[in-house]
Amino acid sequence: MSAPRLVLLTRYPDPGRAKTRLIPAIGADGAAAVHKRLAERTVDVMRESGLPIEIWFTGARRSDFADWLGADLAYVEQGGGDLGDRLRAAIGKPPVIFVGADCPDLRREHLQQAATALDDNQVVIGPAEDGGYWLIGLAARHDWLFEDMAWGTDAVLPETLARLSKREIAPASLETLSDCDRPGDLGRWPWLTP
């Protein structure tokens, strides 16, 4: 199997449009700064993995993203629709690993473990403490994993596992990590706040 692509779906760090759930605690500029730091850190870790990287972007021009995150990366503009629609569009030709930009504890080893897991598994999942996942990798197209999902809720991981079980697919599982999504999360990573 060829090396999986690492795909990050992200938006430009414009105040008022990025990490909006953090705005009540740290304001629009602070929330945008947190998003910027998290995305930059995630891209750095992706680079360290040695795997091919695609940035699926929204909120600014390709050149703005290249100036921000580096001209050495492949950039693809996100289409419309909900997160599931955008994930399905980004599957392309598997294997593919989707990485969230909200996980401050992400390490190169996590991405390398996910890539290795896809050698022998159809799906690999990095569960998040909040009931979602910080990573999902696919060895084949499983578009149905992203259809009609209650994104942003604690139902995402249980529903994903139920869909896999129904099709008798046992996913490989990585370490459970935490996302930084809500004001209460900020205390865990003081270096994130401006």
Side-chain angles (χ1 to χ4, degrees), residues 144-158:
W144 42 268
L145 284 172
F146 306 125
E147 296 169 355
D148 300 317
M149 184 65 75
W151 299 108
T153 71
D154 61 2
V156 172
L157 181 61

Side-chain angles (χ1 to χ4, degrees), residues 5 7 14 24 31 50 54 58 64 75 85 113 119-120 152-153 165:
R5 293 172 296 121
V7 174
D14 283 327
E54 290 179 5
T58 189
D64 296 325
Y75 292 95
D85 296 329
Q113 289 166 3
D119 287 340
D120 301 311
T153 71
S165 177

Side-chain angles (χ1 to χ4, degrees), residues 18-164:
K19 301 300 276 177
T20 55
R21 289 185 280 186
L22 297 180
I23 291 174
I26 57 175
D29 289 337
V34 168
H35 171 70
K36 183 175 185 291
R37 286 187 183 122
L38 280 171
E40 289 169 355
R41 186 186 180 288
T42 301
V43 169
D44 287 345
V45 172
M46 292 168 77
R47 278 191 176 101
E48 290 172 10
S49 75
L51 297 167
I53 300 169
E54 290 179 5
I55 307 296
W56 285 61
F57 67 92
T58 189
R61 297 171 305 185
R62 180 186 315 263
S63 59
D64 296 325
F65 276 87
D67 289 345
W68 171 34
L69 296 174
D72 60 316
L73 304 173
Y75 292 95
V76 181
E77 190 166 2
Q78 291 183 33
D82 72 3
L83 178 58
D85 296 329
R86 291 176 279 137
L87 287 168
R88 284 194 306 275
I91 292 173
K93 183 180 178 195
V96 60
I97 297 171
F98 293 105
V99 182
D102 301 331
C103 187
D105 296 327
L106 178 69
R107 296 187 316 273
R108 174 188 72 231
E109 294 81 12
H110 293 126
L111 301 179
Q112 291 168 337
Q113 289 166 3
T116 299
L118 288 179
D119 287 340
D120 301 311
N121 297 275
Q122 285 291 305
V123 177
V124 59
I125 295 175
E129 285 184 4
D130 65 5
Y133 48 76
W134 53 269
L135 176 149
I136 187 164
L138 309 175
R141 285 199 72 101
H142 297 304
D143 295 50
W144 42 268
L145 284 172
F146 306 125
E147 296 169 355
D148 300 317
M149 184 65 75
W151 299 108
T153 71
D154 61 2
V156 172
L157 181 61
E159 176 62 22
T160 300
L161 295 174
R163 291 179 187 189
L164 289 166

